Amino acid sequence: MDPSACKPTPFDGSVLLGADGATGRVRESLGIEMPGKDYASPALRIFFQRDLRHYVSDLAPVTYLFSGGRSCSLLQMAGGWRAILRLSEHTSDDVALARPFQLAELRRFLPIDAAAFENASADLYRSSRRVAVRNHKGRVFLMGDAAHLTNTRGGMNMNCGIHDADAISRSLIYSLRENQPGHVLACAEERLRVAHECLVPRTDTSVASPDAWFHSIRKLSTDPLKSLAYLHQATMLDMV
Ligand SMILES: Cc1cc2nc3c(=O)[nH]c(=O)nc-3n(C[C@H](O)[C@H](O)[C@H](O)COP(=O)(O)OP(=O)(O)OC[C@H]3O[C@@H](n4cnc5c(N)ncnc54)[C@H](O)[C@@H]3O)c2cc1C
């Protein structure tokens, strides 16, 4: 939805939940900073209509490929596959969006050919690693991208925002029903701790040093208990 295309509708209420995304007005109007850094490397996103299992028959619906310090993630979607490649920060947008470059980059990981690009589309995006210095002020609570941003590795950021929304709204209802305002404040603090201590370091490690991350995963795959502990973290069960 494009907010600028909507007619403003005034509401009266006693509590405001700011779930208006990274560039939303709520955090800005409260003067809450969101320090962090922007990742220098752009990510190239390509949607293929062609079934990539034509090239690798046993490709899993969510696949991470690593080669020579680089990585490529593949996600099976309705009507095709999405590939995400993290490029060198020196790659210009024009080069990155050219098909020959995309084919050469993908061939580092997959035995595909130019035919894979039939009806394909591509774009570039840049990600950041940022957490708001606080996620509540008075009776305003921030959640989702309004409170934390990270790279897309592991598919955690939206999930973390959904967890924020579930936890904070349940706690808010409890606080109002039981007249215990401290409950929702503690809950919001806990969501900020999760963003700082779990979300950002986890998503950052795998992107900052992909080879080291890959080798650590490979090593723990031989240990059932460590594998289980890793799955617990990768599925964010310890972040809810
Ligand atoms: C390429 C890519 C892949 C991703 N993959 C994953 C993934 O696999 N798993 C995952 O968990 N996350 C993923 N993410 C991250 C995920 O998309 C975001 O974390 C998520 O969309 C954030 O949701 P949000 O509701 O907080 O903010 P947004 O999605 O930004 O939604 C905010 C909404 O508020 C609206 N809004 C803003 N201001 C106003 C206003 N004044 N009035 C009315 N409406 C307003 C906006 O129009 C928008 O609709 C990915 C991101 C990218 C870029």
Side-chain angles (χ1 to χ4, degrees):
M1 185 170 92
D2 174 8
S4 62
C6 302
K7 201 173 144 218
T9 311
F11 283 99
D12 285 328
S14 52
V15 176
L16 178 63
L17 302 181
D20 51 347
T23 55
R25 292 271 179 82
V26 176
R27 190 190 63 247
E28 189 190 301
S29 64
L30 293 173
I32 297 176
E33 301 279 314
M34 199 165 176
K37 68 167 193 186
D38 298 327
Y39 287 97
S41 310
L44 172 64
R45 177 170 52 173
I46 308 173
F47 291 101
F48 293 98
Q49 291 196 9
R50 188 152 211 208
D51 188 350
L52 295 183
R53 285 173 302 192
H54 174 78
Y55 301 100
V56 179
S57 59
D58 57 350
L59 209 51
V62 180
T63 297
Y64 289 98
L65 301 166
F66 292 84
S67 174
R70 305 282 301 279
S71 66
C72 167
S73 68
L74 298 171
L75 175 69
Q76 188 176 17
M77 303 178 73
W81 287 77
R82 184 197 75 187
I84 292 183
L85 292 149
R86 279 161 221 285
L87 306 178
S88 149
E89 61 188 270
H90 306 296
T91 312
S92 74
D93 289 10
D94 286 349
V95 167
L97 292 171
R99 282 284 146 79
F101 172 84
Q102 294 170 5
L103 178 60
E105 284 294 299
L106 273 160
R107 282 185 64 84
R108 292 169 185 266
F109 305 97
L110 284 169
I112 66 164
D113 55 29
F117 285 86
E118 192 180 352
N119 297 322
S121 57
D123 62 5
L124 291 166
Y125 67 92
R126 286 174 167 79
S127 43
S128 310
R129 195 185 77 169
R130 299 179 178 278
V131 180
V133 291
R134 54 191 299 187
N135 62 351
H136 65 90
K137 195 168 182 180
R139 285 174 292 164
V140 182
F141 297 87
L142 301 175
M143 48 187 67
D145 279 19
H148 46 72
L149 283 173
T150 187
N151 66 71
T152 51
R153 178 63 56 77
M156 291 192 175
N157 207 42
M158 182 171 64
N159 285 298
C160 195
I162 292 170
H163 297 171
D164 293 344
D166 182 67
I168 292 175
S169 23
R170 282 175 196 275
S171 178
L172 182 61
I173 292 166
Y174 178 86
S175 290
L176 294 171
R177 275 197 187 139
E178 305 297 324
N179 194 22
Q180 289 199 35
H183 195 276
V184 67
L185 300 181
C187 175
E189 301 284 337
E190 170 60 10
R191 295 311 304 163
L192 200 63
R193 184 197 68 77
V194 165
H196 268 299
E197 294 181 15
C198 307
L199 174 72
V200 168
R202 259 175 222 177
T203 46
D204 196 46
T205 307
S206 56
V207 168
S209 33
D211 273 358
W213 183 71
F214 172 68
H215 288 301
S216 69
I217 302 293
R218 190 177 224 177
K219 205 167 155 195
L220 63 81
S221 67
T222 55
D223 182 326
L225 281 181
K226 285 186 180 163
S227 298
L228 198 60
Y230 170 75
L231 281 177
H232 198 244
Q233 291 192 352
T235 50
M236 305 171 72
L237 288 175
D238 60 337
M239 289 167 68
V240 285

